Amino acid sequence: MTQKQEHLSKNQQIVLNLIEKAKGPLKAYSILYNVQKRGIKAPLQVYRALEKLIEIGKIHKIESKNAFIACKNSDCEISKATAFSICNNCEHVKEIKNSKLSKYLSNFEDNSGMKYKKYNLEFFGLCKICKLKQ
Amino acid sequence: MTQKQEHLSKNQQIVLNLIEKAKGPLKAYSILYNVQKRGIKAPLQVYRALEKLIEIGKIHKIESKNAFIACKNSDCEISKATAFSICNNCEHVKEIKNSKLSKYLSNFEDNSGMKYKKYNLEFFGLCKICKLKQ
DNA sequence: ATAACAAACGTTATATTATAACAAATTAAG
DNA sequence: CTTAATTTGTTATAATATAACGTTTGTTAT
Ligand SMILES: [Zn+2]
Ligand SMILES: [Zn+2]
Ligand SMILES: [Zn+2]
Ligand SMILES: [Zn+2]
């Protein structure tokens, strides 16, 4: 049983539902506008839900875009090891699931003697579709 | 000759000087306050300088912190391949210079058929000093 | 040198992203 | 039940970043 099942509060569930059915990453204020019909009125309610959802690994933040995407991998170790591919043209974002990569990075040590507990990697380029269009 | 030497404008030079002599990453508005004595008055002047400096690889943005750090590597391919180690406790940030890592990531391909032109990797953990203090 | 173009500048206003502070309500645990 | 912890609702504000506009400076080609 790799799936971590937490009980989510009302607001957390509302925000997660929206992010999960979205095609791409969503920004906080776009989330806010889309959940106002469900009673969430203020930015802070969204940010608090986001914070919790990130903590339990249900979503990830795409740092370069200030946007939030649902985790599709059941085995992201609670968002401690994330990698994304981002298309510079259409902005399509996809979480990379590659065990060699995650193993390589999780075990990475540099000469500083620092052992890393978490990493976030963002790759940029052109996706297959946009490459053809060029 | 790996060093890329561009002519910098006045504002760009002022901002770069500040970032280069800083011990760690600086935030945009902290930069602004520190260069006001040199005649830079508005956020946009700072952001424009930052944009250019990033473009030519003199500085990098630490996305998870919205902060800017000078590039210490002469061979960052104009900021197309960056990796940082970040201490969660003291916030110390250091650019990782590791040719195996950069080679591995620059050549990385996943099953999506996307070839990556750029990446940014941020590692988090405790630095040597903070580890001892725990 | 001067026209034409590109890059950088200065300035004001505004957009976007995120958190502080505090009190009330809900939920989990003993 | 009761106590503690979490979540909520709300208002205000902080922090980060860009739009729009006109001017100035630097570069390139005649
Ligand atoms: Zn994930
Ligand atoms: Zn694309
Ligand atoms: Zn660098
Ligand atoms: Zn430290």
Side-chain angles (χ1 to χ4, degrees):
Chain A
M1 195 184 280
T2 57
Q3 196 85 348
K4 171 148 185 173
Q5 193 54 38
E6 295 260 355
H7 174 72
L8 296 181
S9 76
K10 193 190 95 209
N11 287 358
Q12 289 158 11
Q13 192 63 63
I14 291 170
V15 170
L16 180 58
N17 285 346
L18 184 72
I19 296 178
E20 281 187 334
K21 76 181 186 208
K23 294 190 198 76
L26 297 179
K27 307 207 133 206
Y29 277 73
S30 141
I31 292 169
L32 175 59
Y33 300 137
N34 279 284
V35 297
Q36 283 183 330
K37 67 193 75 152
R38 306 201 103 74
I40 293 179
K41 288 174 185 155
L44 198 44
Q45 296 175 285
V46 171
Y47 279 104
R48 287 199 280 227
L50 290 172
E51 182 183 34
K52 181 68 179 212
L53 292 169
I54 288 170
E55 192 186 312
I56 65 177
K58 291 287 189 186
I59 66 171
H60 304 300
K61 181 173 185 180
I62 310 297
E63 293 285 356
S64 62
K65 297 198 169 299
N66 298 316
F68 305 86
I69 192 170
C71 178
K72 297 295 197 316
N73 304 343
S74 59
D75 58 354
C76 272
E77 313 162 34
I78 321 285
S79 70
K80 293 281 177 289
T82 50
F84 301 95
S85 96
I86 302 170
C87 176
N88 280 323
N89 186 248
C90 70
E91 309 243 307
H92 179 79
V93 174
K94 191 164 162 299
E95 187 165 358
I96 294 174
K97 184 172 184 166
N98 184 299
S99 59
K100 274 190 190 173
L101 176 66
S102 59
K103 205 167 286 182
Y104 182 86
L105 292 176
S106 296
N107 294 325
F108 179 79
E109 287 191 52
D110 66 1
N111 49 15
S112 74
M114 186 161 165
K115 179 77 174 88
Y116 303 111
K117 299 222 170 73
K118 177 176 175 350
Y119 68 79
N120 179 54
L121 171 60
E122 298 182 6
F123 278 111
F124 304 86
L126 288 179
C127 74
K128 226 193 278 190
I129 295 166
C130 291
K131 211 171 354 183
L132 290 174
K133 285 185 194 161
Q134 296 286 310
Chain B
M1 194 186 277
T2 57
Q3 196 86 346
K4 172 148 183 172
Q5 193 55 36
E6 294 262 354
H7 173 73
L8 296 180
S9 74
K10 193 190 96 209
N11 288 359
Q12 290 158 11
Q13 193 63 63
I14 290 170
V15 170
L16 179 58
N17 285 348
L18 184 73
I19 296 177
E20 282 187 333
K21 75 181 188 212
K23 294 190 198 75
L26 297 179
K27 307 208 133 206
Y29 276 72
S30 141
I31 292 169
L32 176 58
Y33 299 138
N34 279 285
V35 296
Q36 283 183 332
K37 66 193 73 152
R38 306 201 104 72
I40 292 180
K41 287 174 185 154
L44 198 43
Q45 297 175 284
V46 172
Y47 280 104
R48 287 200 278 227
L50 290 172
E51 183 182 33
K52 181 68 181 211
L53 292 169
I54 288 170
E55 192 186 312
I56 64 177
K58 290 287 190 188
I59 66 172
H60 304 299
K61 181 173 185 181
I62 309 297
E63 292 285 356
S64 62
K65 296 197 169 301
N66 297 317
F68 305 86
I69 192 170
C71 178
K72 297 295 197 314
N73 303 343
S74 60
D75 58 354
C76 272
E77 313 161 34
I78 320 284
S79 72
K80 292 280 178 290
T82 50
F84 302 95
S85 97
I86 302 170
C87 177
N88 280 323
N89 187 246
C90 70
E91 310 243 307
H92 179 80
V93 174
K94 191 166 161 298
E95 187 166 357
I96 294 173
K97 185 171 184 166
N98 183 300
S99 60
K100 274 190 189 173
L101 176 66
S102 59
K103 204 167 288 182
Y104 182 86
L105 292 177
S106 295
N107 294 325
F108 179 79
E109 288 192 49
D110 65 2
N111 49 16
S112 74
M114 185 162 165
K115 180 77 173 85
Y116 302 111
K117 299 223 170 71
K118 176 174 173 355
Y119 68 79
N120 179 54
L121 171 59
E122 299 182 6
F123 278 112
F124 303 87
L126 289 178
C127 74
K128 226 192 277 190
I129 295 165
C130 290
K131 212 171 356 182
L132 290 174
K133 284 184 191 161
Q134 296 287 308

